[in-house]
């Protein structure tokens, strides 16, 4: 048996044109179509009423005060903290003060929550349906092909990732199967989509997964369905009360003179 480091497989050069190149092109075109389909299916966000915006921004104000407390003087921090803690405890920022203390309503009856769930379902469908079709296409026509060899050495741990669909124990780990090339394109074309469609695109598989795992980063509301805003305000009031404030400009003259 040939040494693994000098292992050579005589491949038909047409594999590049009939397997590797078509899979890459199809993955790029599928990502572009997914992006524009998502743009068409995504509805414009509805304008929220003023009490709901005030409720969200008021909680965010307390979080920003706690995070950037060192940037303001002790007196300024104390005045802001006392005002926000008192307002949080009294429920001044709640959009529905009459529902304070009552159990949260059923999210399934909230139109905004239902709209968010429908948007998430649309995103999942746009991500799953094309990949299922492409996966079946590759399994039907390109299963079992070894299409390329990586020019750098790898450890044996990469064998299962790079040689999916090729059940050979002694094959060098640097050889890549057609099915593994599909998975590499699935998660490795993000830079290409950013170049073609811009940073804010819906074509990247990894970007969609991250946006679903962290919906707040995608511009969603701070209060998720089923959450009690009053409990969040009370929790933030407790967080503000236990903050140990320090001022970034304390002793700045001495620190400046020490650097001279």
């Amino acid at each position: 048996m040939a040494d693994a480091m000098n292992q050579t497989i005589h491949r038909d050069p047409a594999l590049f044109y009939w397997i590797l190149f078509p899979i890459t092109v199809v993955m790029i075109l599928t990502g572009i179509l997914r992006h524009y389909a998502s743009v068409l299916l995504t509805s414009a966000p509805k304008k929220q009423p003023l009490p709901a915006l005030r409720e969200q921004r008021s909680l965010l104000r307390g979080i920003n005060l706690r995070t950037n407390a060192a940037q303001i003087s002790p007196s300024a921090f104390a005045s802001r903290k006392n005002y926000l803690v008192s307002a949080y405890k009294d429920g001044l920022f709640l959009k529905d003060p009459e529902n304070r203390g009552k159990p949260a309503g059923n999210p399934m009856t909230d139109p905004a929550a239902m709209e968010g769930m429908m948007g998430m379902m649309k995103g999942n469908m746009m991500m799953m349906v094309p990949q299922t079709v492409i996966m079946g296409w590759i399994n039907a026509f390109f299963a079992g092909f070894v299409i390329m060899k990586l020019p750098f050495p790898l450890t044996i741990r990469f064998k299962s990732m790079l040689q999916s669909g090729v059940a050979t124990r002694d094959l060098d780990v640097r050889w890549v199967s057609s099915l593994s090339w599909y998975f590499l394109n699935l998660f490795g074309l993000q830079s290409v989509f950013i170049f073609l469609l811009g940073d804010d695109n819906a074509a990247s598989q990894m970007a969609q997964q991250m946006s679903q795992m962290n919906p707040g980063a995608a511009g969603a509301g701070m209060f998720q369905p089923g959450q009690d805003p009053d409990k969040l305000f009370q929790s933030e009031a407790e967080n503000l009360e236990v903050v140990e404030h320090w001022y970034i400009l304390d002793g700045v003259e001495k620190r400046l003179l020490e650097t001279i």
Side-chain angles (χ1 to χ4, degrees):
M1 182 180 296
D3 188 6
M5 297 300 296
N6 301 322
Q7 192 176 74
T8 302
I9 298 179
H10 298 284
R11 296 169 296 115
D12 188 347
L15 292 176
F16 175 82
Y17 301 102
W18 293 103
I19 296 180
L20 188 145
F21 185 70
I23 291 177
T24 305
V25 172
V26 167
M27 293 295 295
I28 294 176
L29 293 179
T30 302
I32 295 175
L33 291 176
R34 185 194 305 122
H35 167 74
Y36 287 108
S38 300
V39 171
L40 293 176
L41 292 176
T42 301
S43 57
K46 294 183 178 179
K47 186 176 180 181
Q48 295 185 354
L50 182 60
L53 287 175
R54 184 185 63 176
E55 186 180 61
Q56 297 180 10
R57 300 300 183 266
S58 299
L59 181 61
L60 185 61
R61 181 181 177 186
I63 296 174
N64 290 335
L65 175 63
R66 179 165 46 87
T67 305
N68 305 299
Q71 311 300 324
I72 57 178
S73 63
S75 59
F77 173 76
S79 62
R80 288 168 171 80
K81 184 186 75 171
N82 294 333
Y83 169 73
L84 289 178
V85 169
S86 177
Y88 288 165
K89 291 184 176 180
D90 296 338
L92 296 181
F93 299 130
L94 295 175
K95 65 177 180 180
D96 297 319
E98 63 277 2
N99 295 331
R100 186 182 184 188
K102 297 181 181 179
N106 188 0
M108 302 301 293
T109 61
D110 187 2
M114 290 296 296
E115 185 177 355
M117 293 174 63
M118 288 298 297
M120 186 176 297
M121 290 179 61
K122 292 178 182 178
N124 290 334
M125 292 297 295
M126 292 304 302
M127 182 174 58
M128 293 175 59
V129 173
Q131 302 309 328
T132 303
V133 174
I134 296 176
M135 188 76 171
W137 171 62
I138 293 176
N139 280 327
F141 294 97
F142 306 130
F145 285 96
V146 177
I147 58 176
M148 64 179 297
K149 185 178 182 180
L150 299 177
F152 46 85
L154 294 171
T155 62
I156 195 64
R157 294 179 179 271
F158 290 90
K159 187 175 181 65
S160 60
M161 181 180 69
L162 296 178
Q163 297 177 4
S164 299
V166 180
T168 52
R169 183 183 60 182
D170 300 323
L171 187 62
D172 189 0
V173 69
R174 290 183 294 173
W175 291 102
V176 181
S177 66
S178 56
L179 189 58
S180 295
W181 181 248
Y182 157 74
F183 287 113
L184 292 176
N185 281 273
L186 184 62
F187 297 104
L189 289 176
Q190 184 173 359
S191 299
V192 177
F193 292 138
I194 291 176
F195 176 75
L196 295 175
L197 303 172
D199 293 331
D200 188 14
N201 66 80
S204 175
Q205 181 94 353
M206 185 63 69
Q208 284 199 4
Q209 290 181 355
M210 293 299 294
S211 64
Q212 291 179 10
M213 292 173 60
N214 188 14
M222 296 186 62
F223 302 114
Q224 300 302 318
Q227 286 185 330
D228 187 359
D230 185 53
K231 291 182 179 180
L232 295 178
F233 281 129
Q234 299 300 327
S235 176
E236 186 58 33
E238 295 178 0
N239 293 334
L240 285 173
E241 287 179 334
V242 300
V243 170
E244 296 183 0
H245 182 262
W246 63 278
Y247 191 28
I248 195 173
L249 295 181
D250 285 342
V252 64
E253 299 89 351
K254 182 179 179 180
R255 284 182 281 148
L256 179 62
L257 292 176
E258 289 176 351
T259 59
I260 299 177

